[in-house]
Amino acid sequence: MLGWAITFLIVALIAAVLGFGGIAGASAGIAQILFVIFLILFVVSLVMRAARR
């Protein structure tokens, strides 16, 4: 999940440098959503691991 977020972030940065504003904005939005989902899943996994012990 984090790998996809980084991939979309890189696509957004390259698109922004080349002047493709719409694609850059969409890619940045997708990267942000994927990163938030990654953080939520990471916290849930930490809580579940702590609950098992």
Side-chain angles (χ1 to χ4, degrees), residues 31-49:
Q32 188 176 15
I33 290 169
L34 288 174
F35 186 70
V36 169
I37 292 172
F38 166 77
L39 285 179
I40 291 170
L41 291 175
F42 180 69
V43 169
V44 167
S45 69
L46 286 178
V47 169
M48 293 301 288
R49 176 178 266 192

Side-chain angles (χ1 to χ4, degrees), residues 1-44:
M1 184 75 62
L2 185 58
W4 282 105
I6 292 171
T7 302
F8 277 106
L9 178 63
I10 291 171
V11 168
L13 290 174
I14 292 171
V17 167
L18 295 176
F20 299 109
I23 295 172
S27 294
I30 293 171
Q32 188 176 15
I33 290 169
L34 288 174
F35 186 70
V36 169
I37 292 172
F38 166 77
L39 285 179
I40 291 170
L41 291 175
F42 180 69
V43 169
V44 167

